[in-house]
Amino acid sequence: DLTAPAPRLPDGTPDLNGLWNAVDGRFLTNLPRRAGVDAPFTPWAAAIFKARQDNQGRDRPAGRCLPHTVPTAMLVPGYPWKVLQTPGLTVILFENFTDFRQIFTDGRDFPADRQPAWFGYSIGRWERDTFVIESTGFNGEAWLDDTGHPRSEEMRVTERIRRLDVGHLEVEFTFNDPKAYTRPWSVTV
């Protein structure tokens, strides 16, 4: 029964281990529409978004075999991702492009000298039954979704993951990128 209560680890935190998959392909196409908001573009981001719309997304990173990233790697229907939850580290393995993320939960801070990366650098913590992931240090190559919403190297993403029951996760993504957006905005999938 997929609606049975979520399992827990011996320390009492929800068990996120398992294979997960997005069930609705609309998630990749337009995240702001999914959130019921208009993207609060800065002029820089509005110009980039317009150019991507005008060229019908021909420079889409995944279309050039470049990795999906946060959040899109978790939202590709038909390509599951696996969570491996251990003390001090949670790893997410992505079938699409065979990528991975490391989310450190051992109390460390972000590295002082970080090179921009597709998945950035992630640290996590538990707030009751919600796994909160802060990520920063992204390269500026990725898009937030396949519609072409941009992001810059200044992007900071906060994910709030809740295991609702045996078969369902809820993930809230909050995007904070002062170069691309006039204010932080969120979407829940």
Side-chain angles (χ1 to χ4, degrees):
D1 178 14
L2 294 178
T3 61
R8 294 189 174 271
L9 295 174
D11 68 1
T13 58
D15 184 353
L16 302 179
N17 287 296
L19 195 60
W20 301 97
N21 195 5
V23 295
D24 188 340
R26 294 176 300 144
F27 294 166
L28 269 180
T29 58
N30 193 326
L31 285 172
R33 182 175 301 146
R34 170 72 178 150
V37 300
D38 290 326
F41 289 128
T42 63
W44 173 84
I48 290 173
F49 183 75
K50 181 181 182 321
R52 290 174 179 170
Q53 295 299 291
D54 290 349
N55 74 20
Q56 298 176 346
R58 76 166 173 252
D59 297 329
R60 186 175 61 91
R64 296 180 289 138
C65 296
L66 297 172
H68 282 286
T69 182
V70 178
T72 58
M74 296 166 72
L75 304 175
V76 181
Y79 287 94
W81 43 282
K82 181 182 280 189
V83 175
L84 304 171
Q85 188 178 353
T86 68
L89 177 68
T90 297
V91 177
I92 302 178
L93 305 172
F94 299 99
E95 184 175 311
N96 190 297
F97 295 116
T98 319
D99 287 318
F100 68 93
R101 282 178 78 188
Q102 296 184 92
I103 301 148
F104 295 97
T105 57
D106 58 3
R108 73 178 68 189
D109 202 354
F110 293 110
D113 181 27
R114 51 185 178 256
Q115 297 298 311
W118 286 96
F119 284 92
Y121 296 86
S122 299
I123 55 175
R125 68 185 182 282
W126 284 95
E127 292 180 358
R128 293 192 205 120
D129 287 349
T130 302
F131 187 46
V132 179
I133 305 167
E134 299 281 343
S135 300
T136 190
F138 297 102
N139 67 28
E141 302 295 318
W143 298 7
L144 284 183
D145 57 22
D146 280 353
T147 306
H149 289 88
R151 71 172 190 201
S152 76
E153 295 85 1
E154 295 179 33
M155 174 67 76
R156 185 176 187 107
V157 178
T158 302
E159 298 157 83
R160 301 181 68 78
I161 301 175
R162 292 182 338 129
R163 187 161 186 181
L164 303 177
D165 51 38
V166 167
H168 301 91
L169 290 183
E170 177 183 82
V171 184
E172 177 188 62
F173 298 97
T174 299
F175 308 108
N176 187 355
D177 186 343
K179 184 175 180 182
Y181 301 99
T182 59
R183 60 177 169 73
W185 58 282
S186 300
V187 61
T188 301
V189 295

